[in-house]
Amino acid sequence: MLGQLHLLPEEILVKTGPVDHADWNFRPFLGAIQRSRFRLLLRLMDGERFDRLLEVGYGSGVFLPELARRCRELHGIDIHEEPERVAASLRKLDVGATLCSASAERMPFGDGSFDAVVAVSSFEFISDFDRACAEIVRVLAPGGAFFVVTPGDSPILDVGLKLLTGADAKRDYEGRRSAVMPALSRHFRIERAQAFPNSTFAIYRGLRLRKKT
């Protein structure tokens, strides 16, 4: 059983862009759905602790306090220009992370830098999936794992999101959701897969991936 999630509190979140909805994690009902993404990923980690971990698309840093408990050294990249403000919020919780402004398609790290890379509801916003996958493969150390949680692609889910939040999934994702799995399959092999609430009607899908050999 997973215990309490350690998230950045709502009152110190930094809004980093128009699709940064970290505050949704704290709304009634919607928050439980949002937090299921993090629990899905933690189940895929299965209690493992990593040496160096990278979060791709850390946003406001809401999940970084939890990830900090799962590694010795924590890093994050995002395309927004607020790494210092997010780092300042994290320091209020005594969470240390090295954050920088960079894209997933061109990461400022050496080969084999990380033994875990994490992307929660961020991969589907990347412009060039294949280039990003190639970069993740490059920065992963031998035996490293890529953990990704991505939303389901369904008109029913889109209507539910619109009713709960007013957000327009088709506008925000621009048709990229259906291309996520084919891109991941070209570069990685699936070690484990889970879905919330189930594989038949998946609001979110979580994958533990390894580099193809």
Side-chain angles (χ1 to χ4, degrees):
M1 293 291 290
L2 292 172
Q4 178 185 1
L5 283 171
H6 297 85
L7 304 180
L8 203 59
E10 183 177 13
E11 59 270 19
I12 59 174
L13 290 175
V14 175
K15 179 74 171 178
T16 61
V19 293
D20 180 355
H21 301 300
D23 58 305
W24 289 0
N25 289 286
F26 304 96
R27 291 190 186 181
F29 182 66
L30 177 62
I33 297 173
Q34 289 289 104
R35 294 191 300 273
S36 72
R37 303 170 301 161
F38 304 137
R39 296 185 183 280
L40 195 59
L41 186 138
L42 294 177
R43 284 198 293 273
L44 290 168
M45 285 186 168
D46 197 25
E48 190 171 353
R49 182 174 171 82
F50 303 94
D51 185 41
R52 302 183 81 228
L53 184 150
L54 170 68
E55 182 174 17
V56 173
Y58 64 84
S60 65
V62 67
F63 194 36
L64 289 174
E66 183 65 52
L67 291 177
R69 303 168 73 90
R70 311 283 168 159
C71 64
R72 180 186 64 82
E73 188 177 312
L74 179 61
H75 293 254
I77 62 167
D78 207 306
I79 59 171
H80 65 68
E81 300 294 333
E82 302 288 356
E84 291 302 324
R85 291 181 63 205
V86 174
S89 292
L90 291 169
R91 285 194 293 270
K92 293 177 182 178
L93 299 184
D94 293 322
V95 173
T98 302
L99 309 178
C100 67
S101 296
S103 72
E105 296 97 327
R106 190 173 183 177
M107 298 192 207
F109 308 112
D111 296 358
S113 292
F114 302 99
D115 51 349
V117 175
V118 168
V120 180
S121 293
S122 60
F123 193 85
E124 58 275 8
F125 291 103
I126 293 171
S127 298
D128 189 333
F129 290 156
D130 283 302
R131 188 169 177 180
C133 285
E135 275 290 87
I136 293 167
V137 166
R138 182 182 69 80
V139 302
L140 273 175
F146 177 32
F147 300 89
V148 59
V149 176
T150 190
D153 186 9
S154 161
I156 296 174
L157 294 176
D158 292 353
V159 169
L161 181 68
K162 184 76 171 179
L163 290 172
L164 285 171
T165 68
D168 187 331
K170 287 186 177 180
R171 178 198 64 209
D172 290 345
Y173 296 125
E174 299 178 346
R176 290 185 295 262
R177 285 174 296 178
S178 61
V180 168
M181 288 302 299
L184 292 173
S185 298
R186 287 192 290 272
H187 298 266
F188 299 94
R189 60 178 176 83
I190 298 174
E191 187 172 77
R192 288 180 61 194
Q194 294 192 0
F196 173 85
N198 55 61
S199 58
T200 302
F201 183 74
I203 298 176
Y204 295 111
R205 296 187 185 278
L207 301 169
R208 180 176 178 135
L209 304 168
R210 300 284 187 182
K211 295 188 287 188
K212 285 187 172 180
T213 55

